Amino acid sequence: MNEDQDQALVRRTLRGDKKAFEMIVRKYQQPLLNYVGRMVGERELALDFTQDVFIRAYGSLRSFEPRYKFSTWLFKIASNLVIDHWRKKKLPTYSLSGKWGEDGENLTLDVPDDEPAVSRKFELAEFGHRIESALEKLPGPLRELFVWRHVNELSYEEMAEIKDLPLGTIKNRVFQAKEMLRRILLEMP
Amino acid sequence: MNCCRINDIYDYIEGSLPPGRRQDMEGHLEACPKCRRAVEERKLISGAAAALPPLEVPADFTDRVMRRIAPVKAKLPVWLIILASLSSLVALGSVALIASGRSLMGIALGASHSFWEYAKSAAVLTAKAATLLSLAGKIIQSLLESAAKGLSLANSLVSPWLQVVILGLMTALIISLAFAARKKISLGD
């Protein structure tokens, strides 16, 4: 995602050029929907939230600091909307900097001798569908990082900037999300 | 080298292991089918997650967003605002000049003459007001002196007891007048 181009579009929007903001919407609607959709589950709600991200971004465009990446700023707005939604629905919103179960502990262990294989369990063709289902079972904060990393292809640095957490913590949580997803896949009928 | 640790496997897949450790790991993977399988397994999951299909964005999504946003008020630079104000002032002055049919010098002379006349009138008015104020001061002073003389004469003629009775009666009269006035006000007269 070309940062210089984004900054130029932001400047043009601030000068009153609505077409420039339209270009921003066209550029980011797909990645944002890919993220929000997997966070909230329902398609219509995801579309509403994605619209809200752009409306909020437009309303607070003057507060955007050009030293940050525009895309990470948009994802931060989206993430805040998703967290608000989880809170309203009384879904758990654990802190990523806290302790996170056994999958985190296993990361520093050697590969066990009797490790079962997901690859032997499912056909390659159904793998994508299985992963979508497993993602829904992943705790929200870990799912968010997994989606950012593998679907949106954000860097660890970008994720650390969005979540305002150390790089090491983010990286560890992403690995943990992957291990947890693998375990969910193994436990699937 | 011992068997691989899970987080090293992820670092290896992502290409973030330092070159020395990467070489060690590759050597170990050639000799250890268990770790090789563990790496392949995790590569498979990461690959499948990256290949998840994008969520479909409705064709009119951008239009829907753009309909919901109000135009940003373009912020004009200060120098431009000052320049525009000065230009308008000059233009307005020119129109007035042309409409009056007088020369610029004539208007300037007229304006300075009027200003001088106003200044003269203001000085005369100020002098008159000062005279009136000093006269009023003298009148108030003589009235206060007469009142003080009257009171001291009354004090020498009337006995102290009678003075107390008169004061009491006057206080009662003032209080009853105040009550009567209050009653009248509360009745709405």
Side-chain angles (χ1 to χ4, degrees), chain A residues 29-30 34 38 43 51-52 58 62 107-111 113 115 118-120 156 171 178-179, chain B residues 3-7 10-11 14 34 37 41-42 45 50 53-56 61-62 68 70 72-73:
Chain A
Q29 59 192 19
Q30 184 68 73
N34 285 344
R38 287 177 173 101
R43 180 173 164 77
Q51 274 194 42
D52 287 347
Y58 190 82
R62 288 201 192 287
L107 288 174
T108 52
L109 297 178
D110 289 352
V111 175
D113 289 331
E115 191 179 63
V118 173
S119 49
R120 278 185 227 144
Y156 291 116
K171 205 172 166 185
K178 289 183 193 183
E179 278 303 286
Chain B
C3 276
C4 307
R5 287 184 306 175
I6 307 287
N7 54 358
Y10 282 121
D11 274 329
E14 298 204 335
K34 184 186 76 176
R37 215 171 32 246
E41 172 98 348
R42 282 156 183 88
I45 295 173
L55 303 181
E56 196 196 330
F61 183 86
T62 314
R68 280 183 62 190
V72 170
K73 282 180 188 163

Side-chain angles (χ1 to χ4, degrees), chain A residues 118-136:
Chain A
V118 173
S119 49
R120 278 185 227 144
K121 203 174 159 167
F122 306 117
E123 293 289 324
L124 207 64
E126 62 171 332
F127 225 77
H129 175 67
R130 291 283 179 172
I131 286 183
E132 288 279 20
S133 307
L135 264 178
E136 287 170 18

Side-chain angles (χ1 to χ4, degrees), chain A residues 80-98:
Chain A
N80 288 339
L81 266 172
V82 166
I83 291 168
D84 283 348
H85 168 70
W86 286 339
R87 283 197 182 123
K88 275 179 201 156
K89 288 197 88 178
K90 303 211 181 330
L91 293 171
T93 55
Y94 322 96
S95 158
L96 283 170
S97 49

Side-chain angles (χ1 to χ4, degrees), chain A:
Chain A
M1 293 173 189
N2 186 338
E3 188 54 25
D4 289 342
Q5 189 192 24
D6 284 355
Q7 301 276 353
L9 288 173
V10 169
R11 282 195 297 274
R12 276 174 55 193
T13 307
L14 287 174
R15 286 199 298 265
D17 182 355
K18 262 181 113 174
K19 273 275 167 214
F21 192 73
E22 195 177 320
M23 286 168 79
I24 290 175
V25 177
R26 285 192 195 285
K27 185 175 178 182
Y28 286 106
Q29 59 192 19
Q30 184 68 73
L32 281 172
L33 183 65
N34 285 344
Y35 158 67
V36 177
R38 287 177 173 101
M39 290 298 107
V40 299
E42 299 160 49
R43 180 173 164 77
E44 283 309 310
L45 194 63
L47 285 170
D48 284 349
F49 278 7
T50 310
Q51 274 194 42
D52 287 347
V53 173
F54 288 116
I55 309 295
R56 281 195 190 189
Y58 190 82
S60 51
L61 206 57
R62 288 201 192 287
S63 69
F64 167 66
E65 291 179 42
R67 66 194 161 108
Y68 296 114
K69 271 188 88 171
F70 183 70
S71 55
T72 56
W73 186 67
L74 275 183
F75 274 107
K76 197 179 183 109
I77 294 173
S79 177
N80 288 339
L81 266 172
V82 166
I83 291 168
D84 283 348
H85 168 70
W86 286 339
R87 283 197 182 123
K88 275 179 201 156
K89 288 197 88 178
K90 303 211 181 330
L91 293 171
T93 55
Y94 322 96
S95 158
L96 283 170
S97 49
K99 214 169 155 43
W100 269 88
E102 61 180 69
D103 294 281
E105 303 297 316
N106 290 342
L107 288 174
T108 52
L109 297 178
D110 289 352
V111 175
D113 289 331
D114 54 347
E115 191 179 63
V118 173
S119 49
R120 278 185 227 144
K121 203 174 159 167
F122 306 117
E123 293 289 324
L124 207 64
E126 62 171 332
F127 225 77
H129 175 67
R130 291 283 179 172
I131 286 183
E132 288 279 20
S133 307
L135 264 178
E136 287 170 18
K137 294 188 176 77
L138 208 59
L142 290 187
R143 193 186 336 150
E144 180 173 60
L145 297 184
F146 186 91
V147 170
W148 279 342
R149 183 67 186 153
H150 289 290
V151 179
N152 296 116
E153 295 178 340
L154 298 188
S155 67
Y156 291 116
E157 287 79 6
E158 286 170 325
M159 289 193 265
E161 192 178 298
I162 297 170
K163 299 307 283 182
D164 203 15
L165 283 170
L167 196 65
T169 308
I170 291 291
K171 205 172 166 185
N172 213 37
R173 293 292 174 252
V174 172
F175 291 174
Q176 198 179 341
K178 289 183 193 183
E179 278 303 286
M180 204 179 269
L181 189 89
R182 197 180 151 275
R183 190 162 51 77
I184 294 168
L185 283 167
L186 282 169
E187 286 167 3
M188 272 184 170

